[in-house]
Amino acid sequence: MKHSSEYFQQRRDRLRRVLKKNSLAGFLVTKPQNVTYLTGFSGEDTYLLLWQDGEALISDSRFTLQIAEECPGVDVMIRPSGVGMVKAAARAARRARLSRVGFEAAHLTVEVRESLGQESGNVEWVSTTRWVEELRIVKDSEEIGRIRKAAGQAMRAFAAIRASLRPDHEEKQIADLLEHQMRLLGARCAAFPTIVAVGPRAALPHAIPGRNRVEEHPILLIDWGADEGWYKSDLTRVLVTAKIGPKFERLYELVLQAQAAGIAAIRPGATAAEVDAAARKVIEDGGYGRAFGHGLGHGVGLEIHEAPSLSPKSKTVLKPGMVVTVEPGVYLPGWGGIRIEDDVVVTRSGREVLTSTPKSLDDIYISP
Ligand code: ZN
Ligand code: ZN
């Protein structure tokens, strides 16, 4: 990720203010997406140790050039081979004379935590949860631009695959074609392993694409997304490839109405639970509440699932710049599943839906 050094510097300074508020001298960032967010570095096996008047991006010689390219203005500590990551991080903390240093409890193994304690003398390691994730929850216009681009790549790839779908296509084949198409359209890669499910397989919210062919059942569910410059999109559509009974149409309309209600409830000031409830009520009133077993949606950004989650228990208050999926679903074991998913950014006046792949009942009938 190429950027001016100030762009990431500002993010690190925001984290420094959080440290100050919490009386921490330093902070060790171990989660790769958080390192990326704070420095622009997109490789792996690299920690960021941050304190009020300094920082050290701790990496190894494989990444020297990449860091120079991606992270101008960041202080780097390339650990010699033979000095492990934990030892290097502990050394950096001692060298900066840090007393209390926060670590990411959700992203540090017990083993690493214990050796940090053994290696770092008087440093007190303090458990923290999701501080950087909280900073990431509101996206800036650059980030929204990337998600928008990822959405465009996913939508165009889907349109191409839909147009060339054949009755003998297998689930995995469709997933592979879709992912290839997204790359051809400029995506770095797929945002996550594409889900393609024929018929009853669609009842599994996270079905793994297999050998089932399109012609075996009228329902085809596809859940896919693109990764553009590390930012992701996430959509789901159901296609109908042969004659199908009225039950499907009734259920499809129900899920579509639930999604519309959820999207309409998105605005600054609404809680995530309220948005979930708006959609859930439609499905409950339709008599299928128990067939909708997951939350309404999730944040999307550097990770495919991130804060805020739209779920019955989430107290997050929506703010402009948050990007969430809205994906109600109804799953009936042995019969199949219907899920419709779009990506929505919270704006100052309400919301903007970033994805526009057709989804009305008329649009989803196709004859491969
Ligand atoms: Zn999805
Ligand atoms: Zn999703």
Side-chain angles (χ1 to χ4, degrees):
M1 289 213 278
K2 278 212 167 164
H3 261 294
S4 69
S5 53
E6 294 81 39
Y7 185 72
F8 296 105
Q9 174 82 46
Q10 281 171 9
R11 291 176 174 178
R12 294 195 296 278
D13 285 344
R14 280 170 61 209
L15 180 58
R16 287 188 173 100
R17 288 196 284 277
V18 177
L19 299 188
K20 202 164 199 178
K21 244 194 239 161
N22 289 276
S23 313
L24 288 188
F27 194 79
L28 182 66
V29 187
T30 51
K31 181 170 177 164
Q33 292 89 352
N34 290 347
V35 173
T36 302
Y37 181 77
L38 294 166
T39 65
F41 177 63
S42 63
E44 63 262 18
D45 297 332
T46 297
Y47 291 176
L48 173 70
L49 181 70
L50 184 107
W51 59 97
Q52 286 307 332
D53 52 3
E55 68 220 0
L57 186 61
I58 307 162
S59 192
D60 60 76
S61 60
R62 288 172 300 163
F63 296 113
T64 309
L65 283 175
Q66 189 177 339
I67 289 174
E69 249 180 60
E70 291 183 330
C71 322
V74 178
D75 288 332
V76 185
M77 175 178 170
I78 298 294
R79 62 186 171 87
S81 57
V83 177
M85 180 58 105
V86 173
K87 207 170 216 140
R91 224 181 245 180
R94 277 204 321 264
R95 212 175 283 167
R97 300 182 185 285
L98 304 180
S99 46
R100 301 181 75 228
V101 182
F103 67 89
E104 302 190 285
H107 221 273
L108 198 74
T109 63
V110 175
E111 187 185 4
V112 170
R113 166 69 188 89
E114 284 175 354
S115 17
L116 269 176
Q118 286 155 12
E119 299 281 352
S120 56
N122 292 331
V123 177
E124 181 193 346
W125 294 93
V126 180
S127 168
T128 72
T129 35
R130 304 185 207 288
W131 286 6
V132 183
E133 284 84 342
E134 280 300 312
L135 299 179
R136 284 169 40 195
I137 197 167
V138 168
K139 275 77 180 165
D140 64 27
S141 57
E142 158 90 31
E143 294 178 289
I144 293 167
R146 289 194 190 217
I147 297 171
R148 195 186 294 277
K149 216 167 156 191
Q153 290 159 350
M155 290 191 288
R156 290 203 302 283
F158 182 83
I161 295 310
R162 181 192 154 128
S164 62
L165 203 63
R166 291 202 321 256
D168 63 337
H169 271 154
E170 294 174 354
E171 292 163 337
K172 180 164 185 311
Q173 202 178 357
I174 298 167
D176 292 344
L177 289 168
L178 191 47
E179 293 183 7
H180 180 60
Q181 193 63 38
M182 288 193 286
R183 285 194 180 86
L184 290 178
L185 289 164
R188 193 177 69 86
C189 58
F192 55 91
T194 302
I195 296 168
V196 178
V198 170
R201 299 277 306 157
L204 284 67
H206 279 190
I208 296 165
R211 308 282 320 253
N212 301 300
R213 291 192 309 275
V214 166
E215 63 199 353
E216 287 170 27
H217 194 281
I219 298 179
L220 177 65
L221 181 147
I222 303 182
D223 186 343
W224 81 107
D227 178 312
E228 158 64 34
W230 308 95
Y231 283 83
K232 324 256 190 282
S233 59
D234 186 7
L235 296 90
T236 305
R237 287 293 183 269
V238 169
L239 296 173
V240 183
T241 57
K243 248 187 151 26
I244 194 168
K247 180 177 179 181
F248 170 84
E249 296 203 348
R250 235 180 25 246
L251 276 177
Y252 187 86
E253 290 285 13
L254 188 67
V255 175
L256 196 58
Q257 278 169 24
Q259 199 209 24
I263 291 172
I266 292 179
R267 56 181 164 73
T271 67
E274 283 164 10
V275 175
D276 178 278
R280 197 167 297 278
K281 184 174 187 311
V282 174
I283 292 180
E284 279 169 358
D285 290 352
Y288 285 91
R290 288 165 74 181
F292 175 24
H294 55 74
L296 179 64
H298 52 85
V300 62
L302 284 171
E303 286 174 277
I304 189 64
H305 295 123
E306 57 180 55
S309 86
L310 300 182
S311 68
K313 282 185 184 158
S314 172
K315 294 187 176 71
T316 306
V317 176
L318 298 187
K319 286 188 194 137
M322 290 183 178
V323 181
V324 291
T325 68
V326 179
E327 51 178 306
V330 164
Y331 310 93
L332 302 174
W335 180 83
I338 297 168
R339 179 170 65 253
I340 307 169
E341 176 176 29
D342 284 290
D343 301 341
V344 181
V345 56
V346 184
T347 62
R348 251 179 255 179
S349 57
R351 77 218 61 87
E352 183 197 348
V353 183
L354 299 175
T355 42
S356 58
T357 295
K359 60 184 171 186
S360 79
L361 198 47
D362 290 339
D363 293 320
I364 64 169
Y365 279 90
I366 64 163
S367 34

